[in-house]
Amino acid sequence: MCPPGCLHSICENATRRGLLKAGFTLGLGAAAAATLPTVQPARAAQAGFTDTVDLSHALYEGFPTFSGDKWFTVEQLVTFAKDKVNLNRWTIVEHSGTHMDAPIHFSADGLTADLIPISDLIVPVAVINIAARAADNVDTSLTPDDVKAWESKNGPLPEGCCVVMNSGWHRLVGDPKFTGNDDQKKNHTPGLHIETAQMLIKERKVKGIGVDTLSLDTGMNSGGAFPVHYEWLGSGRWGVECLANLDAIPESGARLFLGIPKVKGATGGPTRVIALL
Ligand SMILES: [Zn+2]
């Protein structure tokens, strides 16, 4: 029996698979174990997981945007072939690819991305699947009734969770249907209904909302008014857009880790979102 904090007790709380993915090996000796930071048992249990799923799309030049503009470009500054070093310069709009919207994005004085407490960046996730309905109606929304149906099956939304819409759109990245643009330059994509945002703010304890489309709002058929963006981010909460692989995680029981870069004053930013199962 080893004391709390040794590799053995950490192994009991994380899983072998999770540790291997995190770069640990079972061959680590006592010297390596002695250098590990102390982990309190309660904290370790909280951190336990048995699998991980990457919920981020790879970002690349030409990643879809509503306008069709390139929001992310890469320039090679030096190359290994010529300079013995590889180094690129990125030019990026903050809201490119899978990314987080910080409260400041749609409010006058909300938190910037660097100031969001890290305790708000590892949260339970409730995945609400409206893909069947969205396949028939691209203008559909995640409604309060969808939330209630999820709760009647899974119990109340976990305190401090992120509510995620799985519309099936994560499978369409690279397909023109992903942006849903019509010939009037309006887009048609599923999103949250404003009444859902209001319900989650007033009647539940939710930290974030997520979607697998480019916008928290339902298309631009409201004239680009972005009611959910204003209501949700204006309440001091965060959002995450353009999530991937949502079919690979359960509708209940997983957690999200949101690895957003700590850029001073950022209104959001490309984010590595990892589901911990
Ligand atoms: Zn955004």
Side-chain angles (χ1 to χ4, degrees):
M1 182 91 183
C2 64
C6 79
L7 185 62
H8 177 70
S9 62
I10 293 171
C11 282
E12 282 180 344
N13 289 297
T15 66
R16 181 169 180 271
R17 196 167 171 191
L19 281 169
L20 288 172
K21 284 181 181 176
F24 285 80
T25 71
L26 295 178
L28 279 177
T35 64
L36 288 168
T38 301
V39 177
Q40 298 304 319
R43 296 285 299 275
Q46 224 177 19
F49 55 91
T50 59
D51 206 352
T52 51
V53 176
D54 192 344
L55 300 186
S56 295
H57 293 285
L59 184 57
Y60 56 89
E61 282 196 355
F63 193 94
T65 59
F66 284 135
S67 64
D69 295 335
K70 269 192 186 176
W71 277 12
F72 175 67
T73 55
V74 180
E75 175 192 355
Q76 268 192 321
L77 295 182
V78 293
T79 64
F80 198 84
K82 186 162 171 277
D83 310 291
K84 297 293 177 212
V85 180
N86 282 315
L87 184 68
N88 301 325
R89 174 187 287 132
W90 299 345
T91 304
I92 190 163
V93 175
E94 289 168 318
H95 298 252
S96 299
T98 301
H99 69 276
M100 178 180 261
D101 286 5
I104 190 70
H105 185 36
F106 272 73
S107 62
D109 53 5
L111 284 183
T112 52
D114 53 311
L115 297 180
I116 297 173
I118 55 171
S119 57
D120 285 357
L121 299 177
I122 304 177
V123 295
V125 57
V127 183
I128 304 182
N129 194 320
I130 61 165
R133 197 167 78 228
D136 289 337
N137 176 12
V138 294
D139 295 317
T140 196
S141 298
L142 180 77
T143 65
D145 282 346
D146 292 321
V147 176
K148 289 173 191 163
W150 186 96
E151 289 185 314
S152 64
K153 192 172 162 198
N154 299 289
L157 286 173
E159 188 169 332
C161 73
C162 175
V163 172
V164 166
M165 173 191 77
N166 179 358
S167 68
W169 248 243
H170 57 278
R171 299 177 222 128
L172 297 176
V173 168
D175 183 313
K177 288 183 194 157
F178 185 67
T179 56
N181 286 329
D182 64 17
D183 16 2
Q184 270 92 50
K185 297 207 167 172
K186 285 189 175 176
N187 86 288
H188 300 270
T189 51
L192 264 73
H193 195 283
I194 181 62
E195 289 173 7
T196 307
Q198 290 165 341
M199 181 183 89
L200 295 178
I201 291 168
K202 290 179 190 148
E203 299 169 28
R204 304 290 190 279
K205 292 181 176 169
V206 175
K207 287 186 176 174
I209 52 175
V211 295
D212 56 353
T213 56
L214 282 170
S215 176
L216 304 174
D217 276 281
T218 306
M220 286 181 168
N221 36 21
S222 58
F226 300 109
V228 172
H229 276 82
Y230 280 110
E231 187 89 21
W232 189 260
L233 302 177
S235 75
R237 295 166 173 83
W238 52 258
V240 60
E241 294 167 329
C242 220
L243 289 165
N245 291 327
L246 290 179
D247 295 333
I249 65 171
E251 60 184 18
S252 169
R255 281 171 298 152
L256 293 187
F257 163 75
L258 296 109
I260 181 161
K262 196 173 179 179
V263 177
K264 282 192 176 183
T267 72
T271 300
R272 195 68 181 261
V273 185
I274 300 169
L276 310 174
L277 312 185

